[in-house]
Amino acid sequence: MDEILKEIRSCMVCRDYLPNLPKPVVRAGVKSKIVIIGQAPGQKVQNSGIPWDDQSGNELRRWLGVSKEQFYDDQLFALIPMGFCYPGKGISGDLPPRPECAPLWHQSLLSEMKEVKLTILIGQYAQNYYLKDVSKRSLTERVRHFDLYLPLFLPVVHPSPRNKIWQKKNPWFELEVVPFLRGIVSDCIKIS
């Protein structure tokens, strides 16, 4: 695992397409119980080098019902984005994650983690990559019917402040999905 993480952190495959020098952001351990697969780091996270070190991370930890200390314990959580570096600014937010990262690195990382109990897929990019029926369902439908993907995957919306509008339109997320998410996360990390 240490060798794979070292290789990822020195990756330069996308350097010609990024606004900054590549600085891949990832955390994982061989004993990780829960894998969180998100989109790509924002500029703030790219600068700090700490995954989910922003408002989205605060909201995600609230949804999970965990402390920062628990969240950054790689024996509990692996934090793996679809794109490991900040992709740059688009017209209405950040650009999509670079498409090279997941096929290049995910399988190597995941194959080292033998104790994973749950993989949380955050947002459409992770869900489109990992779920088989993506052409049949919208992100909202996948999140609404999250139980169809258990026990391996749990799809959720991105915790970005930009998604507050989505959450207001879909109050069932906070009432049904968040409590379930807290419960399953609690069960998974108690196993350790």
Side-chain angles (χ1 to χ4, degrees):
M1 176 65 84
D2 290 341
E3 189 59 37
I4 294 166
L5 290 170
K6 184 178 175 184
E7 286 179 46
I8 292 170
R9 290 181 180 129
S10 64
C11 181
M12 294 286 171
V13 169
C14 303
R15 74 174 158 240
D16 294 338
Y17 305 101
L18 300 173
N20 310 309
L21 274 174
K23 183 181 171 187
V25 178
V26 60
R27 286 200 182 195
V30 293
K31 294 183 180 269
S32 297
K33 304 289 185 274
I34 298 171
V35 176
I36 296 176
I37 300 179
Q39 295 182 171
Q43 186 65 64
K44 182 178 183 207
V45 168
Q46 184 75 49
N47 293 343
S48 74
I50 301 169
W52 297 98
D53 183 28
D54 55 15
Q55 286 183 310
S56 296
N58 293 338
E59 182 72 347
L60 177 58
R61 287 184 288 276
R62 184 185 74 77
W63 290 353
L64 299 172
V66 298
S67 67
K68 267 190 165 184
E69 182 180 71
Q70 290 170 309
F71 187 74
Y72 291 116
D73 180 344
D74 68 15
Q75 297 213 15
L76 300 179
F77 292 95
L79 308 173
I80 303 172
M82 290 299 295
F84 291 87
C85 297
Y86 172 62
K89 201 77 168 149
I91 294 170
S92 62
D94 293 343
L95 291 171
R98 291 297 313 163
E100 298 87 349
C101 297
L104 188 60
W105 299 114
H106 279 206
Q107 191 52 48
S108 297
L109 278 170
L110 296 171
S111 67
E112 293 293 316
M113 294 182 271
K114 309 292 189 210
E115 297 184 29
V116 172
K117 306 297 179 202
L118 177 68
T119 299
I120 300 170
L121 301 174
I122 297 179
Q124 68 172 333
Y125 299 107
Q127 292 168 23
N128 290 349
Y129 190 81
Y130 281 96
L131 301 180
K132 303 295 182 227
D133 72 343
V134 293
S135 63
K136 300 176 191 167
R137 296 180 186 270
S138 68
L139 178 133
T140 299
E141 290 171 323
R142 290 191 299 260
V143 173
R144 177 81 183 184
H145 301 287
F146 66 88
D147 54 323
L148 297 175
Y149 307 99
L150 295 170
L152 295 179
F153 298 114
L154 199 156
V156 299
V157 68
H158 196 282
S160 166
R162 296 175 64 92
N163 281 335
K164 290 293 184 190
I165 294 168
W166 182 93
Q167 290 180 54
K168 282 186 179 181
K169 289 181 184 175
N170 298 283
W172 50 265
F173 179 76
E174 189 73 39
L175 296 171
E176 299 168 25
V177 180
V178 170
F180 180 85
L181 182 58
R182 284 183 186 151
I184 198 169
V185 164
S186 177
D187 289 346
C188 289
I189 64 178
K190 280 180 189 169
I191 294 168
S192 56

